[in-house]
Amino acid sequence: KNQVEQSPQSLIILEGKNCTLQCNYTVSPFSNLRWYKQDTGRGPVSLTIMTFSENTKSNGRYTATLDADTKQSSLHITASQLSDSASYICVVSPNSGNTPLVFGKGTRLSVIA
Amino acid sequence: EAGVAQSPRYKIIEKRQSVAFWCNPISGHATLYWYQQILGQGPKLLIQFQNNGVVDDSQLPKDRFSAERLKGVDSTLKIQPAKLEDSAVYLCASSALTGTGQDYGYTFGSGTRLTVV
């Protein structure tokens, strides 16, 4: 069964600190992996998208890594800001075309002053 | 580029009432998706359209939910009658398919938060 598991479920960090969120997946075949940021009451916004051959992709203070062999991904946030408080969702596309995306349940990050 | 537009942003209804949500995808995006996101969970796909045809509606509770995409552009999702467990955020997303079949520009709208009391 195609699944995406994220950890931790929630995380609280101090402003300015770094953090890393984890994503493990069992989706096969694999097309791409995406990280989304979802503010409360808003729709998810794409941070990164990586294909099978990509190991790292950055978007400002966000850096995603992908290990397609172990089926693991991480999202590292550097020098966190209060505005980083949100849910971060890992999403895997099983295949190109019309196959539905597989969503993780997300990690709820709270950045406090 | 304009994003995916959804309305209303919020809706509160009593159980057994009906409700409708509207979505306008990004111009040129042939594929449109409706998701249900219950608090604390990831989005669950309800229905996927390719132009005005249904590609996947396997998780749509068809006894009470219906969706249409007339003319392959805007879409509406309806719930009739609503139940308490339908309280959730309903997200619309759209994407374009490249010539190699890769979905491109997958973008979510801001969602409609439905509360059934």
Side-chain angles (χ1 to χ4, degrees):
Chain A
K1 180 180 179 182
N2 287 337
Q3 284 187 319
V4 174
E5 300 288 339
Q6 291 188 245
S7 63
Q9 186 175 12
S10 62
L11 182 63
I12 301 173
I13 63 172
L14 291 175
E15 185 180 14
K17 298 296 185 182
N18 303 335
C19 67
T20 300
L21 314 180
Q22 300 292 339
C23 172
N24 297 334
Y25 61 94
T26 60
V27 178
S28 182
F30 169 89
S31 176
N32 59 66
L33 184 145
R34 314 151 190 245
W35 282 94
Y36 283 89
K37 177 186 179 185
Q38 186 173 22
D39 293 314
T40 301
R42 310 295 296 182
V45 175
S46 179
L47 295 175
T48 63
I49 177 170
M50 290 184 291
T51 61
F52 184 90
S53 59
E54 295 177 293
N55 300 120
T56 302
K57 182 162 282 189
S58 292
N59 178 0
R61 294 180 297 102
Y62 301 102
T63 298
T65 65
L66 173 64
D67 186 333
D69 292 330
T70 62
K71 297 188 177 180
Q72 295 180 326
S73 176
S74 66
L75 180 69
H76 185 76
I77 304 175
T78 303
S80 61
Q81 300 176 358
L82 298 178
S83 58
D84 293 331
S85 295
S87 288
Y88 291 84
I89 305 175
C90 177
V91 183
V92 178
S93 179
N95 209 340
S96 58
N98 290 323
T99 309
L101 302 180
V102 184
F103 288 79
K105 292 185 177 181
T107 292
R108 179 67 200 177
L109 174 66
S110 298
V111 181
I112 60 176
Chain B
E1 174 184 83
V4 176
Q6 288 190 246
S7 67
R9 287 283 287 119
Y10 306 94
K11 190 73 177 179
I12 301 174
I13 61 172
E14 295 181 348
K15 59 183 179 183
R16 292 188 290 275
Q17 285 187 324
S18 63
V19 64
F21 313 128
W22 174 82
C23 173
N24 180 237
I26 290 176
S27 178
H29 280 191
T31 311
L32 185 147
Y33 316 78
W34 282 103
Y35 289 87
Q36 179 192 59
Q37 186 176 23
I38 293 174
L39 186 65
Q41 298 183 20
K44 181 184 83 170
L45 180 67
L46 293 176
I47 189 167
Q48 177 181 342
F49 291 95
Q50 183 74 17
N51 296 309
N52 60 349
V54 176
V55 173
D56 183 353
D57 63 356
S58 57
Q59 297 196 84
L60 186 73
K62 299 180 183 65
D63 57 333
R64 298 183 301 106
F65 286 63
S66 65
E68 60 181 10
R69 190 184 184 195
L70 300 176
K71 301 180 181 179
V73 182
D74 293 5
S75 177
T76 56
L77 175 69
K78 297 179 181 178
I79 307 174
Q80 182 179 9
K83 294 184 176 181
L84 296 177
E85 58 262 36
D86 297 332
S87 294
V89 175
Y90 290 84
L91 295 165
C92 179
S94 70
S95 71
L97 283 179
T98 68
T100 57
Q102 183 72 42
D103 61 349
Y104 176 79
Y106 205 111
T107 304
F108 287 89
S110 293
T112 295
R113 181 178 296 274
L114 173 67
T115 302
V116 182
V117 298

